[in-house]
Amino acid sequence: MANNQLVDETGCLLRLQRSGPIFGWGGKADRVVVGDVVAVEGGRPLPPLPGGNLSLSRPTGTSLLQVNKEGELWKRNLETKENQKISFMAEHEAVAYHPAGHHIVSSGRTSNGEPALVIADNQGRDPRPLLEIEEAKEVANPTFTASGALLYTADHGNRVDLHRLEIGSDKFSTIVSVKKPSKIGDVTASPFPDGGVAWTTGDCASRQRPSLIAEQGGAFLELKGTEAEHARPVGWLPDGSLVAISGQICDRATTGKLLVVRGQAVEVIANRVTTAAVRAVLPPPPPPPQNIPQQAPA
């Protein structure tokens, strides 16, 4: 970094000794998680907890959540540097902040090894199951939409579903269902009102090359035959465009093309891209869930 700024005159964000994935930007677009480093505008890079998946808090990005290799959930305050274990499940697998920032949802397993989807406050307190996971063998990919609806995937043995749940109400729906061995992954929801939802379906092991599926405004984008057909979704821009990277799924290539999908048009923005994340100031968040069930509905 030059002059202690987040981006120098050449556009370089941060020079790293080793490469790593970009886990995402904070809601104020002033800090980003890259590999095992948090880069903060106007300050030095901050080292977070080592290992595991990292995510910045919503809506401001002043805290960091980490699910480590042991399945524990940790929270780090980036202002005070305080680390706090806030696990509320026997094993956490993935976690997502509600856009309002007051709650987090985690997929994982109970002490009996059963799959679970649990909501708690952003300190891990007052955990409550959101659903009785009776048939599913695994739940994963918790993701919030701009309105605060929860998306997640459920493996039912012979199929995998992508579900949508309005927390605190009976509104539950299945967005898509695919037969196994096909999988659903890379679920990416826009934090902006005019955005959509994107995911990949397929399975490299069974020679079903994953395809990018994107839904926006109640309609699916026509991506077959384009550069984006087998791309991996990265995020959504404020204007409703989808950012994706092609050329990495099922290939040995470590780099691909950075794409922007606008409606049915696909534009190549850059080549030889390893990882990417959308930088944009988030809009005002929706209100936190008003009614969290005391007992999970079946």
Side-chain angles (χ1 to χ4, degrees), residues 74-139:
W74 286 79
K75 183 174 184 178
R76 180 179 190 184
N77 186 311
L78 296 179
E79 307 298 328
T80 66
K81 312 299 187 299
E82 178 185 2
N83 297 329
Q84 180 184 7
K85 182 180 176 180
I86 62 169
S87 295
F88 49 87
M89 306 176 71
E91 180 182 358
H92 291 268
E93 295 177 353
V95 65
Y97 264 96
H98 184 278
H102 296 271
H103 299 86
I104 53 180
V105 167
S106 180
S107 61
R109 294 192 177 274
T110 66
S111 57
N112 296 326
E114 298 176 349
L117 194 65
V118 178
I119 188 170
D121 74 4
N122 60 21
Q123 299 294 321
R125 299 170 301 202
D126 194 21
R128 302 181 190 181
L130 285 174
L131 290 169
E132 289 291 343
I133 311 295
E134 296 179 350
E135 298 179 358
K137 299 179 180 296
E138 182 182 13
V139 289

Side-chain angles (χ1 to χ4, degrees), residues 40-62:
V40 180
E41 188 171 20
R44 294 179 178 274
L46 303 174
L49 295 169
N53 290 322
L54 309 171
S55 59
L56 286 163
S57 61
R58 301 280 296 273
T60 59
T62 55

Side-chain angles (χ1 to χ4, degrees), residues 11-261:
C12 178
L13 170 70
L14 187 66
R15 300 189 185 278
L16 300 173
Q17 294 181 348
R18 58 187 182 278
S19 61
I22 301 177
F23 288 109
W25 285 87
K28 294 183 178 180
D30 62 346
R31 60 192 63 194
V32 62
V33 180
V34 187
D36 59 356
V37 171
V38 177
V40 180
E41 188 171 20
R44 294 179 178 274
L46 303 174
L49 295 169
N53 290 322
L54 309 171
S55 59
L56 286 163
S57 61
R58 301 280 296 273
T60 59
T62 55
S63 295
L64 187 75
L65 283 183
Q66 178 216 27
V67 177
N68 66 17
K69 297 178 181 179
E70 288 72 38
E72 299 171 335
L73 180 60
W74 286 79
K75 183 174 184 178
R76 180 179 190 184
N77 186 311
L78 296 179
E79 307 298 328
T80 66
K81 312 299 187 299
E82 178 185 2
N83 297 329
Q84 180 184 7
K85 182 180 176 180
I86 62 169
S87 295
F88 49 87
M89 306 176 71
E91 180 182 358
H92 291 268
E93 295 177 353
V95 65
Y97 264 96
H98 184 278
H102 296 271
H103 299 86
I104 53 180
V105 167
S106 180
S107 61
R109 294 192 177 274
T110 66
S111 57
N112 296 326
E114 298 176 349
L117 194 65
V118 178
I119 188 170
D121 74 4
N122 60 21
Q123 299 294 321
R125 299 170 301 202
D126 194 21
R128 302 181 190 181
L130 285 174
L131 290 169
E132 289 291 343
I133 311 295
E134 296 179 350
E135 298 179 358
K137 299 179 180 296
E138 182 182 13
V139 289
N141 297 300
T143 307
F144 281 100
T145 68
S147 66
L150 176 66
L151 307 177
Y152 71 96
T153 57
D155 184 338
H156 293 279
N158 62 342
R159 73 181 195 279
V160 180
D161 296 341
L162 176 60
H163 295 303
R164 176 187 173 105
L165 173 66
E166 303 284 350
I167 297 175
S169 74
D170 295 329
K171 293 182 179 180
F172 174 86
S173 61
T174 301
I175 298 176
V176 67
S177 180
V178 300
K179 293 183 179 180
K180 296 184 71 174
S182 193
K183 302 174 183 178
I184 298 175
D186 302 303
V187 181
T188 306
S190 173
F192 305 101
D194 294 331
V197 180
W199 62 91
T200 56
T201 63
D203 178 43
C204 294
S206 62
R207 298 184 180 180
Q208 295 181 0
R209 191 180 185 191
S211 297
L212 174 61
I213 311 296
E215 185 272 336
Q216 188 175 21
F220 288 93
L221 303 184
E222 294 291 340
L223 302 178
K224 189 174 182 179
T226 71
E227 292 266 15
E229 180 178 0
H230 300 292
R232 174 175 56 83
V234 168
W236 295 81
L237 296 173
D239 66 359
S241 301
L242 173 65
V243 180
I245 298 179
S246 69
Q248 293 179 319
I249 296 180
C250 298
D251 298 330
R252 293 184 178 181
T254 57
T255 63
K257 296 179 180 179
L258 184 64
L259 312 173
V260 173
V261 182

